[in-house]
Amino acid sequence: MKKITFTIISLSFILTNSFSQSFEAANISGVTTTPSNSRSANFIDINNDGWDDIFITNSSGPGSGENNMLYLNNTDGTFTTITNDPITQDNSRSVAASFADADNDGDLDAYMVTWGSSTKNYFYRNNGNGIFSYEPTNVSGSVFTFSEMVTWIDANNDQNLDIFYTNSAGNATNSYYENQTDGTFVNNTSIEFTNEFFGTRSVDLIDYDNDGDCDLFLTNENTTKNSLYRNDGTNNYTKITNLSFVQDLKNSAGSSWADIDNDGDFDLLVTNYETNGQSNQLFRNNGSTFTEETSSPIALATSSSFGSTFGDLDNDGDLDLIVCNSYLSSVQNNYIYINDGSGNFTQDTSSALATFSGWTYSAAFGDYDNNGWLDVIYANNQNGNQTNALFRNTGTGNNWVKINCSGTNSNNSAIGAKVRIKSTINGNEVWQTRKIVSSSGYCSQNSYTQHFGLGNATIIEALEITWPIGTVETYNNLNINTTHNVIEGTGLGISEMSLHSFKLFPNPVKDTITIRLGSKLVDSKNNVFTIFNMNGKRVKTVPLNNTETYDVSELKTGNYIYTISKNNTIHYSGKLIKN
């Protein structure tokens, strides 16, 4: 692998508040007040304003459908309900949705799957302003399915994202549609993972063997073994049958992968369901083998579990867990497990997350108020008319950092990238690891912004990003309690939201743009405004001076990335939309 090293030395600061961890149920019009039969919970930034929006799919009873829900973040703790966008108007039995930049133009497109003998799946293209267009013919082949979950993969390593979705009935095998780079997708049935039908519920894109690529893990119901496919190169996958987590006969609904013990590899949670209850499973990755943690509280509970997701609820530097329970004879609380830092979990039974009752199909993490603490949304479905739930994290005291990655030579969403940070927490050197994917657990999608709790760490000693094409970029000595935007091959910038005096407007822009520098750069020389296209090619460079307004009329309509730098150090970066 090619290794590129950057060093940025910056001041850091420490929050002095005492540590606490708690959640409060948010009462937000639309988001938490509309009865529905919800399935997929998604935290996604559909309009590129740096704030996570919310999308929820809705199903209904046999033979009928229900429209979906889209809520735009108003950046003030409230959301606007969108009802006139095509993505909210399918009136279908929608189960899962996944958002990614399918055409590498800088915004998130969507694929949504439905369940039923007379239903179809849906591809929606983002027009660049957070408004979607339904394109009914761009995904060729059979679209009438009993589909459960969808994710975006790059099976042929061309950095154009392909579609993979699971099917659980109707004698349908799982489906893979290959991106043709012209806006269309073609069904490819020649890859190993399209040749079996086991009633597949969920799919995870994960590097289980830590060899730098993306493998595929599928959970199957009907008292069937789960499936693992190892990535052995372009469109070449090998089914693996000798590991412990593909040996059991279960009714598995979902799975989540995460580095629960901060040892650099990914461990596995499998959720299982039955009306009378079935235990979930936790497998610890030992490097070449996996050990089932049968004495963990996670494995001792008996329920009917579906969605799951890992995230650092208390910002202490390790990953906690939410498990969602549904379709029981009565209401039941979800399971919340708190990590001690070594991958050992204790069940939380007192927080607002843990005392919520009903049927929850899936959950997702995102920081909707951009305060550095992960918030949670539950997609609920008890009796087909339960409202969804949003929980605001009110924790204080521990530090954090967030990383946004944009690919240039790699796919723009950076799906498949591995993000690692090193910091000193409680006197110990800790490496934390994340994998960028477009789906999580069963049906849900966490925010693309990679969140790391830091405990009492005062600086990020190292940030290492392994991009999907294999190159590695390393940054040193980074600020905490802020968001860092990393653009592949061009460097690192601090989120413009964290430096409030900086202004760049309008965005989207037509002919001229106004730039007002923050105090960090004002009245200084050698400031440069640079614009890159989505392939990473520099298209405009302008020295910044006392003139505030700059002409960009020559740029073609589309999406760009901009940086503002001084002496080759990037201080600001973001996405620019040209109308």
Side-chain angles (χ1 to χ4, degrees):
M1 294 182 178
K2 180 182 178 183
K3 189 163 185 176
I4 308 170
T5 301
F6 301 83
T7 300
I8 298 178
I9 301 175
S10 54
L11 297 176
S12 62
F13 61 95
I14 307 172
L15 291 178
T16 58
N17 295 342
S18 59
F19 166 67
S20 64
Q21 180 257 319
S22 61
F23 285 84
E24 62 181 18
N27 184 15
I28 297 178
S29 177
V31 179
T32 63
T33 60
T34 306
S36 59
N37 192 349
S38 295
R39 294 294 193 268
S40 173
N42 303 71
F43 265 119
I44 35 87
D45 180 8
I46 68 164
N47 55 0
N48 280 336
D49 65 352
W51 296 76
D52 283 329
D53 309 299
I54 294 173
F55 181 78
I56 295 174
T57 66
N58 294 313
S59 186
S60 193
S64 61
E66 185 178 340
N67 282 336
N68 303 307
M69 299 168 169
L70 176 61
Y71 303 103
L72 288 186
N73 195 327
N74 295 326
T75 76
D76 59 0
T78 66
F79 289 80
T80 297
T81 302
I82 304 299
T83 59
N84 59 350
D85 192 290
I87 203 169
T88 67
Q89 298 173 334
D90 67 353
N91 196 35
S92 295
R93 300 179 65 193
S94 302
V95 182
S98 182
F99 292 75
D101 191 352
D103 45 16
N104 286 325
D105 67 347
D107 50 49
L108 296 177
D109 311 296
Y111 197 75
M112 185 159 53
V113 296
T114 65
W115 200 92
S117 60
S118 60
T119 64
K120 60 183 177 180
N121 296 328
Y122 295 83
F123 175 73
Y124 294 97
R125 194 176 303 279
N126 194 325
N127 297 324
N129 52 2
I131 298 174
F132 292 90
S133 295
Y134 170 46
E135 298 183 356
T137 63
N138 280 16
V139 183
S140 65
S142 175
V143 293
F144 294 90
T145 62
F146 289 87
S147 301
E148 293 277 356
M149 186 170 172
V150 58
T151 198
W152 295 87
I153 68 175
D154 183 19
N156 57 359
N157 294 322
D158 67 350
Q159 300 309 316
N160 294 284
L161 295 172
D162 313 304
I163 299 168
F164 181 93
Y165 60 84
T166 66
N167 299 306
S168 64
N171 295 319
T173 59
N174 298 317
S175 299
Y176 165 64
Y177 287 84
E178 200 165 78
N179 193 329
Q180 303 300 294
T181 75
D182 61 357
T184 65
F185 299 80
V186 173
N187 191 13
N188 184 339
T189 59
S190 64
I191 302 180
E192 178 73 12
F193 53 59
T194 64
N195 293 332
E196 66 180 25
F197 168 72
F198 287 140
T200 303
R201 283 281 193 159
S202 75
V203 53
D204 268 309
L205 190 70
I206 190 65
D207 184 6
Y208 84 95
D209 52 5
N210 230 3
D211 65 350
D213 53 27
C214 291
D215 313 298
L216 213 62
F217 179 69
L218 309 174
T219 61
N220 302 313
E221 57 185 0
N222 302 324
T223 317
T224 304
K225 295 179 180 179
N226 295 322
S227 302
L228 174 68
Y229 291 93
R230 185 184 66 210
N231 189 334
D232 290 327
T234 301
N235 279 349
N236 183 17
Y237 288 77
T238 302
K239 187 172 184 178
I240 303 300
T241 59
N242 62 347
L243 292 173
S244 58
F245 58 84
V246 291
Q247 298 294 325
D248 297 311
L249 299 174
K250 300 283 187 179
N251 289 326
S252 296
S255 60
S256 290
W257 292 77
D259 184 7
I260 64 173
D261 45 13
N262 287 334
D263 65 349
D265 53 33
F266 295 98
D267 312 290
L268 168 64
L269 171 87
V270 177
T271 59
N272 300 308
Y273 76 96
E274 277 185 355
T275 303
N276 296 323
Q278 192 172 104
S279 60
N280 299 315
Q281 297 169 284
L282 178 66
F283 297 89
R284 193 182 295 261
N285 191 335
N286 304 313
S288 59
T289 62
F290 285 75
T291 301
E292 185 172 1
E293 302 285 334
T294 56
S295 62
S296 170
I298 294 170
L300 298 179
T302 299
S303 186
S304 183
S305 300
F306 289 84
S308 60
T309 187
F310 285 97
D312 193 345
L313 293 172
D314 46 17
N315 277 357
D316 64 349
D318 54 54
L319 290 170
D320 310 301
L321 173 66
I322 296 176
V323 175
C324 304
N325 298 315
S326 188
Y327 290 110
L328 296 156
S329 57
S330 61
V331 298
Q332 183 172 345
N333 298 349
N334 297 319
Y335 297 146
I336 312 300
Y337 299 100
I338 304 301
N339 194 336
D340 70 351
S342 299
N344 304 309
F345 292 87
T346 301
Q347 186 171 357
D348 162 30
T349 59
S350 61
S351 73
L353 290 177
T355 58
F356 175 83
S357 295
W359 287 359
T360 301
Y361 215 55
S362 65
F365 281 119
D367 182 11
Y368 78 86
D369 52 4
N370 273 328
N371 69 346
W373 293 77
L374 285 177
D375 310 305
V376 178
I377 187 165
Y378 285 165
N380 302 319
N381 65 338
Q382 185 184 7
N383 299 323
N385 63 357
Q386 187 181 10
T387 59
N388 297 310
L390 178 65
F391 298 90
R392 180 177 178 269
N393 193 331
T394 60
T396 60
N398 279 345
N399 296 316
W400 53 272
V401 72
K402 296 194 293 184
I403 310 295
N404 278 321
C405 293
S406 296
T408 51
N409 295 317
S410 301
N411 67 85
N412 182 258
S413 294
I415 289 174
K418 184 183 295 185
V419 182
R420 304 182 70 218
I421 68 164
K422 182 177 73 171
S423 57
T424 298
I425 302 176
N426 295 327
N428 300 312
E429 179 182 289
V430 178
W431 277 98
Q432 299 184 61
T433 305
R434 307 284 190 267
K435 187 83 169 180
I436 298 180
V437 293
S438 65
S439 59
S440 174
Y442 175 56
C443 289
S444 58
Q445 182 173 9
N446 294 327
S447 171
Y448 273 111
T449 301
Q450 303 303 300
H451 168 272
F452 297 85
L454 296 175
N456 61 1
T458 60
I459 198 168
I460 306 301
E461 297 162 28
L463 164 64
E464 179 184 279
I465 301 174
T466 303
W467 295 96
I469 62 170
T471 56
V472 180
E473 294 179 4
T474 302
Y475 306 84
N476 301 110
N477 302 322
L478 304 181
N479 278 354
I480 60 171
N481 298 329
T482 191
T483 301
H484 295 282
N485 296 320
V486 187
I487 306 165
E488 183 184 13
T490 65
L492 179 147
I494 300 172
S495 168
E496 59 208 48
M497 291 179 299
S498 67
L499 298 169
H500 300 290
S501 55
F502 169 72
K503 300 291 183 181
L504 181 147
F505 60 92
N507 192 6
V509 60
K510 184 177 181 181
D511 294 321
T512 59
I513 194 163
T514 297
I515 300 173
R516 294 176 183 170
L517 298 178
S519 58
K520 194 170 188 176
L521 297 178
V522 72
D523 296 328
S524 60
K525 298 179 180 179
N526 303 320
N527 295 317
V528 177
F529 175 52
T530 306
I531 301 176
F532 301 85
N533 65 20
M534 298 313 297
N535 293 320
K537 181 180 178 181
R538 184 183 290 106
V539 296
K540 189 178 184 68
T541 299
V542 179
L544 297 180
N545 49 45
N546 292 330
T547 303
E548 289 188 336
T549 302
Y550 300 88
D551 183 13
V552 293
S553 60
E554 78 279 11
L555 296 181
K556 295 180 179 179
T557 300
N559 294 276
Y560 297 85
I561 293 172
Y562 71 84
T563 64
I564 293 178
S565 59
K566 180 184 178 183
N567 297 328
N568 297 319
T569 296
I570 296 174
H571 292 279
Y572 305 89
S573 64
K575 291 182 179 178
L576 179 69
I577 301 172
K578 174 65 165 62
N579 287 337

